[in-house]
Amino acid sequence: MRHAVIMAGGSGTRLWPLSRSARPKQLLDVVSEESGAAHSLLAEAFTRLQAVLPTEQIWVCTAARYGDMVRAALPELGADRLILEPVARDTANAVGLAAALVADVDPDAELAVVSADHVIRPVERFADALRTAYDCLAVRPRSLVTLGITPTSPATGFGYVQKGAPTEVPGAAEAASFREKPDLETAQGYLASGEYVWNSGMFVWRAQTVLDALADHLPESAEGLRRIVAAEDREAALAEVFPTLPKISVDYAVLEPAAAEPGRVLVVDLDVDWLDVGSWPALAHTLDTDEAGNAVRGMVVALDSSGNVVLSDDPDHLVALVGVRDSVVVHTADVTMVCPVGDAERVKQLLAVAEERFPGRYA
């Protein structure tokens, strides 16, 4: 049976001060609707999967401290479909925990792993690509399938996947190589070649395939996950065992070893408008834009100002700009943050400084 898990545990520090450790970006209502209302990235990811799967086959993996917020945001989510990590132990263990719990319910489960912080349009193309990825498992049951975004620019902020030989499934190819974030010249070459796609970080595989890979390459995690699922009191076992598992990403623990085996890792083209909402300039694409190119949300007036990202979550607080260009201005109840758009990637660094100076107050 086909299942999917939404990975929703990140805290979104690059969207500080709107996103906080107790109020992460995937649960904020930041995606505008035609009606003028807004919804969260998590709700969008859940609805997107409902175009492919029955609701009871959709799972969410998140930090334990976000459990109540996720339940409130997704009233349709089954009570036993919420996976809570007691602590963060990187993606190999999060994905492994999801695979172990899904496999316990359905030993033959085919499992998609998707992110909670993507905006993907149109949904129909996403649904078609996801179905293609599942179809790959029918002809290559041990394969690990990644969804590759058709690139629209020589982006230097994404990893890339090089496509190799086509497979028996139309729209799917063998993955020839994985490339880290390139410099501009290299990215331009990737784009011109037509052989490369952006690595979306979304995967499809059999749940048991992931567990077998962990057993081969990360036996300590595999044994810990087995103990958790086998325990009579899973919650207690999770709290005891999970924090002891070695921190490592699923790319290093599963994908890289598998990529050494020709034809084991496949890539499916995902030709969509794709936005990884990981920074203020990226989030700007989800906001309303005025005639001067200011992306705004909340009580905002701008005079002779353009190219700004302006957001206030206080309905009684006006943010007023005069002669401001290409800046990020964010107002919350306890923090006002201003920076040039070009320095938006330094917000995480800014948070670290604020946390050092005022421990525990603004994170």
Side-chain angles (χ1 to χ4, degrees):
M1 192 178 296
R2 294 175 174 181
H3 297 255
V5 58
I6 304 171
M7 308 307 292
S11 57
T13 53
R14 287 182 294 170
L15 289 179
W16 184 81
L18 186 66
S19 182
R20 306 291 183 93
S21 59
R23 188 183 61 180
K25 66 178 179 181
Q26 62 269 21
L27 289 163
L28 300 174
D29 290 333
V30 294
V31 184
S32 297
E33 301 173 1
E34 291 183 5
S35 65
H39 60 265
S40 69
L41 291 162
L42 177 59
E44 175 140 325
F46 191 80
T47 301
R48 191 161 54 235
L49 285 174
Q50 286 179 310
V52 184
L53 299 170
T55 299
E56 61 269 19
Q57 286 154 229
I58 302 173
W59 304 62
V60 175
C61 181
T62 191
R65 65 183 183 275
Y66 302 149
D68 290 342
M69 288 185 282
V70 170
R71 289 188 182 96
L74 301 176
E76 294 179 80
L77 179 69
D80 59 349
R81 295 300 189 250
L82 181 59
I83 301 167
L84 300 177
E85 297 176 274
V87 294
R89 298 305 291 171
D90 216 326
T91 54
N93 295 300
V95 170
L97 178 62
L101 293 173
V102 173
D104 185 58
V105 172
D106 179 4
D108 297 320
E110 300 173 350
L111 182 63
V113 178
V114 303
S115 174
D117 53 6
H118 294 167
V119 176
I120 300 174
R121 309 284 168 77
V123 170
E124 293 77 16
R125 287 190 204 167
F126 166 81
D128 288 342
L130 191 60
R131 292 187 187 102
T132 297
Y134 282 122
D135 289 344
C136 290
L137 302 182
V139 295
R140 300 196 187 189
R142 294 181 63 249
S143 64
L144 305 169
V145 188
T146 183
L147 300 183
I149 307 294
T150 303
T152 56
S153 66
T156 59
F158 303 134
Y160 285 73
V161 184
Q162 183 183 21
K163 295 188 294 183
T167 69
E168 308 91 323
V169 179
E174 295 182 357
S177 66
F178 286 81
R179 304 294 185 185
E180 295 296 330
K181 297 174 183 178
D183 58 31
L184 180 58
E185 183 178 355
T186 302
Q188 289 171 334
Y190 289 169
L191 186 64
S193 73
E195 297 178 3
Y196 291 83
V197 290
W198 291 334
N199 187 354
S200 71
M202 294 185 287
F203 312 102
V204 177
W205 40 44
R206 292 186 182 275
Q208 191 58 51
T209 298
V210 177
L211 298 175
D212 291 343
L214 290 175
D216 289 339
H217 304 291
L218 202 63
E220 186 176 346
S221 285
E223 173 58 19
L225 295 171
R226 187 200 64 76
R227 285 175 55 199
I228 291 168
V229 173
E232 185 173 340
D233 186 344
R234 281 187 183 172
E235 189 172 340
L238 185 63
E240 177 189 351
V241 175
F242 198 78
T244 70
L245 303 183
K247 293 185 72 171
I248 186 171
S249 75
V250 71
D251 298 84
Y252 288 124
V254 175
L255 287 175
E256 285 195 3
E261 186 179 335
R264 180 81 186 280
V265 181
L266 310 181
V267 57
V268 169
D269 286 330
L270 183 53
D271 186 11
V272 293
D273 294 326
W274 176 70
L275 180 65
D276 182 2
V277 186
S279 67
W280 282 110
L283 182 67
H285 294 285
T286 74
L287 305 179
D288 297 325
T289 304
D290 67 17
E291 61 277 4
N294 299 301
V296 301
R297 169 72 57 78
M299 293 272 290
V300 178
V301 295
L303 175 63
D304 190 27
S305 299
S306 62
N308 300 294
V309 183
V310 190
L311 187 145
S312 172
D313 69 353
D314 185 344
D316 298 319
H317 185 96
L318 175 67
V319 178
L321 279 63
V322 179
V324 178
R325 305 270 190 283
D326 302 320
S327 295
V328 178
V329 182
V330 182
H331 174 81
T332 67
D334 59 346
V335 177
T336 298
M337 191 273 294
V338 181
C339 76
V341 169
D343 283 331
E345 290 294 330
R346 299 180 64 193
V347 168
K348 187 174 182 178
Q349 179 185 349
L350 176 63
L351 171 57
V353 174
E355 180 64 7
E356 181 179 350
R357 189 167 300 179
F358 307 103
R361 290 188 60 183
Y362 300 112

